[in-house]
Amino acid sequence: MSKKELTTRLLNILTTNCPSISPTTSFPSTLTTSTLSTYTKLLEDVFERRRLQKLDTGAESVLSAEEMTKRSAHRSGFKMPEKYEDDEKR
């Protein structure tokens, strides 16, 4: 991605998620493409995490502990084993 495209993308992320930032904000010309790229990725991840935390808020009152554990494991890339029951309980 070019420096101009990264700057535009960064401004778009910032103005979408932080209303106090003006769309006409400029960045120092000394920033490298690598720095802009890293910062853009960082902000994308931070705002995505914030969005996911908002989705999880209040889940305790709606979902069971078992379901929350299963969803959390799935988001982390793990697969929960089938529910284990002792032979004595069957």
Side-chain angles (χ1 to χ4, degrees), residues 54-65 67-68 71:
K54 284 180 183 177
L55 288 174
D56 284 344
T57 304
E60 297 85 12
S61 61
V62 178
L63 303 173
S64 68
E67 182 62 23
M68 286 190 305
R71 289 181 181 199

Side-chain angles (χ1 to χ4, degrees), residues 22-75:
S22 169
T24 58
T25 302
S26 62
F27 299 99
S29 60
T30 56
L31 289 177
T32 63
T33 303
S34 175
T35 305
L36 282 171
S37 178
T38 302
Y39 190 62
T40 301
K41 179 67 175 146
L42 172 71
L43 284 177
E44 286 174 341
D45 292 344
V46 166
F47 289 125
E48 176 65 8
R49 183 178 175 122
R50 185 185 295 171
R51 186 185 71 82
L52 292 173
Q53 285 175 339
K54 284 180 183 177
L55 288 174
D56 284 344
T57 304
E60 297 85 12
S61 61
V62 178
L63 303 173
S64 68
E66 183 180 340
E67 182 62 23
M68 286 190 305
T69 303
K70 185 196 285 185
R71 289 181 181 199
S72 176
H74 179 73
R75 279 194 308 268

